[in-house]
């Protein structure tokens, strides 16, 4: 074993300083929130966590989660020519729960993500279906956001925060999702030959531990963005505090041909609740994007995000800036982990001349210890 060890006082101390890019990563639209309950053509409690897509005719379509005053959610489409205002909202729910045929939807459907799939010439809408067993992942295909072909549950509870990748890998479709299991609430990827039967499940990004902003619970936000450097993924980290959870956003990059391989992961969060409309609402301190559109320049992003489980907001950014930020601000946890916090066996550097057989490492993150 290539084990090396350094006594704790020789572990290099690195000061953490987040490196800035020239532009802020996301700029909030001044007219936020862009959609609220009062815009709705029928009575609802709140509208948030919208999937987004640019349609062939140039319109932006948001498939919003609308919560009625029973507390149950359905999906409703809003269309706009500029993706900012002038929203035309369907006069009735666009995709409503259908618990008679799909009992897994008895407590509503939530948090959609849309992927256009060229091979199918259809949009894949992946959403959370909620019933007694907890939240699960369901899939429907559509060409027009008017009629939907439902596939039912594709990942059983407890699972959510899912999106389909737009093409096959080695002949198989790939789905990112977030099951909650005894090993934690991590992001997984699973594969399928036909969108019905899923297997080859693997963890693709783990929640960190301890004091990190994304400790214990993470999940995919909007569908991954394909860039020349890899799949750019915006994910949320949930920080548990004495007064509730804080939902913030981080970045990671995955290999284009092997999307389960993480190339980079940001150290800090890059966007979090700051504006009043993000901090206060039905659920305080939540920013929760489920979709984005990319501009004609191939770089500018409109990120659509739910705020405080109450309304929909917009922030604009640039793919180039996100990738540069990730280049400057990744890998810190991996470096620290290698040196002193593995929690069991160690890969830390051995001091010169030390015999491997005499060395053990404390298993409590206290650093190295030499037993003789
Ligand atoms: C998550 C999801 C989201 C919600 C968030 C904050 O678990 O249920 O729909 O926005 O919690 O309440």
């Amino acid at each position: 074993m290539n084990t090396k060890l350094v006594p704790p006082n020789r572990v290099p101390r690195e000061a953490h300083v987040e490196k800035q890019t020239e532009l802020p990563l996301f700029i909030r639209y001044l007219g936020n929130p862009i959609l609220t309950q009062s815009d709705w053509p029928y009575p609802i409690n709140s509208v948030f966590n919208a999937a987004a897509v640019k349609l062939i005719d140039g319109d932006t379509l948001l498939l919003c989660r609308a919560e009625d005053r029973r507390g149950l959610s359905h999906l409703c489409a809003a269309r706009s020519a500029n993706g900012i205002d002038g929203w035309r909202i369907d006069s009735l729910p666009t995709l409503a729960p259908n618990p008679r045929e799909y009992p897994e939807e008895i407590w509503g459907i939530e948090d959609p993500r849309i992927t256009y799939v060229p091979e199918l010439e259809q949009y894949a809408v992946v959403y959370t279906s909620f019933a007694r067993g907890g939240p699960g992942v369901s899939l429907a295909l559509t060409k027009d956001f008017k009629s939907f072909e439902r596939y039912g549950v594709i990942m059983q509870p407890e699972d959510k925060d899912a999106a389909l990748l737009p093409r096959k890998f080695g002949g198989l479709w790939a789905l990112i999702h977030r099951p909650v299991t005894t090993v934690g609430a991590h992001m997984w990827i699973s594969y399928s030959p036909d969108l019905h039967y899923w297997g080859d499940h693997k963890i693709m990004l783990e929640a960190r531990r301890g004091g990190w902003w994304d400790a214990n619970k993470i999940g995919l936000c909007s569908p991954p963005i394909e860039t020349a450097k890899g799949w750019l993924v915006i994910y949320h980290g949930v920080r548990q505090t004495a007064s509730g959870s804080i939902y913030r956003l981080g970045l990671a990059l995955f290999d284009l041909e092997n999307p389960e391989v993480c190339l980079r992961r940001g150290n800090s969060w890059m966007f979090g609740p700051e504006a009043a409309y993000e901090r206060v609402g039905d659920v305080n301190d939540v920013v929760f994007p489920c979709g984005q559109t990319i501009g004609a320049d191939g770089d500018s992003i409109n990120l659509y995000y739910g705020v405080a489980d109450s309304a929909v907001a917009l922030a604009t950014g640039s793919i180039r800036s996100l990738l540069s930020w990730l280049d400057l601000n990744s890998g810190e946890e991996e470096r620290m982990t290698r040196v002193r916090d593995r929690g069991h066996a160690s890969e830390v550097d051995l001091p010169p001349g030390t015999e491997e057989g005499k060395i053990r490492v404390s298993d409590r993150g206290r650093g190295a210890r030499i037993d003789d």
Side-chain angles (χ1 to χ4, degrees):
M1 202 172 97
N2 184 22
T3 307
K4 298 189 192 157
L5 197 89
V6 174
N9 60 5
R10 290 222 238 139
V11 172
R13 283 170 187 245
E14 287 175 46
H16 164 80
V17 179
E18 186 179 338
K19 300 191 179 70
Q20 304 295 324
T21 48
E22 273 169 38
L23 298 170
L25 289 186
F26 279 105
I27 299 171
R28 290 169 176 82
Y29 173 61
L30 287 176
N32 272 345
I34 57 167
L35 285 170
T36 68
Q37 163 241 46
S38 62
D39 297 310
W40 239 246
Y42 54 89
I44 56 169
N45 169 59
S46 52
V47 52
F48 51 110
N49 300 2
V53 72
K54 190 81 87 74
L55 299 173
I56 313 255
D57 63 8
D59 275 3
T60 296
L61 178 141
L62 298 186
L63 191 60
C64 305
R65 168 178 174 186
E67 187 187 283
D68 64 29
R69 287 173 51 136
R70 297 171 302 168
L72 311 187
S73 293
H74 60 268
L75 309 182
C76 186
R79 294 170 174 81
S80 150
N82 62 9
I84 299 172
D85 51 23
W87 295 98
R88 305 176 319 270
I89 301 167
D90 282 0
S91 54
L92 290 170
T94 309
L95 187 63
N98 177 0
R100 241 176 246 276
E101 287 175 58
Y102 298 92
E104 67 273 11
E105 300 180 358
I106 194 160
W107 290 339
I109 57 177
E110 310 176 349
D111 301 356
R113 274 83 168 180
I114 300 171
T115 304
Y116 182 70
V117 184
E119 185 181 325
L120 304 175
E121 296 180 352
Q122 295 201 74
Y123 299 95
V125 183
V126 175
Y127 55 94
T128 302
S129 42
F130 191 21
R132 288 185 182 87
V137 175
S138 292
L139 166 71
L141 298 184
T142 184
K143 283 186 192 305
D144 53 10
F145 294 94
K146 292 191 173 100
S147 65
F148 295 83
E149 182 192 352
R150 272 174 149 99
Y151 278 59
V153 177
I154 55 169
M155 290 292 162
Q156 80 272 26
E158 184 181 341
D159 207 329
K160 54 165 66 170
D161 298 329
L164 188 72
L165 289 169
R167 57 183 163 85
K168 291 177 176 162
F169 300 84
L172 299 172
W173 299 108
L175 184 87
I176 300 173
H177 56 116
R178 205 285 310 282
V180 177
T181 69
T182 48
V183 299
H186 310 303
M187 282 167 59
W188 291 62
I189 189 163
S190 303
Y191 297 90
S192 168
D194 56 6
L195 298 175
H196 282 286
Y197 299 98
W198 294 86
D200 207 4
H201 312 289
K202 291 176 186 138
I203 293 185
M204 68 183 287
L205 195 71
E206 280 193 49
R208 284 188 262 220
R209 291 197 257 166
W212 284 86
W213 69 273
D214 55 353
N216 305 320
K217 191 180 190 182
I218 60 170
L220 179 72
C221 292
S222 40
I225 301 170
E226 191 164 4
T227 76
K229 291 190 166 182
W231 296 99
L232 181 60
V233 164
I234 303 175
Y235 72 95
H236 59 259
V238 186
R239 176 70 176 266
Q240 309 288 348
T241 78
S243 53
S245 305
I246 307 176
Y247 279 72
R248 301 186 178 110
L249 311 182
L251 282 180
L253 189 71
F254 294 85
D255 188 87
L256 273 184
E257 295 315 317
N258 289 301
E260 62 205 47
V261 176
C262 183
L263 305 174
R264 285 188 187 282
R265 180 186 198 162
N267 301 325
S268 6
W269 72 82
M270 53 93 194
F271 192 84
E274 285 174 21
Y277 54 80
E278 296 161 349
R279 299 223 51 205
V280 180
D282 275 4
V283 182
N284 293 346
D285 289 317
V286 179
V287 290
F288 203 95
C290 289
Q292 72 253 321
T293 58
I294 311 292
D297 58 3
D299 184 56
S300 49
I301 306 178
N302 275 6
L303 185 71
Y304 296 94
Y305 62 108
V307 289
D309 283 11
S310 297
V312 179
L314 165 65
T316 51
S318 129
I319 295 176
R320 219 176 299 127
S321 302
L322 296 177
L323 289 171
S324 332
W325 180 87
L326 203 44
D327 274 345
L328 294 171
N329 292 288
S330 56
E332 196 170 284
E333 184 230 4
E334 292 72 13
R335 284 193 291 277
M336 287 166 68
T337 303
R338 266 205 306 280
V339 179
R340 58 179 174 220
D341 194 22
R342 275 187 87 70
H344 47 81
S346 166
E347 287 176 8
V348 293
D349 294 332
L350 276 170
T354 313
E355 284 173 47
E356 247 180 59
K358 288 189 177 172
I359 287 161
R360 275 223 322 266
V361 171
S362 145
D363 66 357
R364 298 251 154 76
R366 270 174 284 163
R369 190 179 66 199
I370 298 175
D371 289 342
D372 56 11

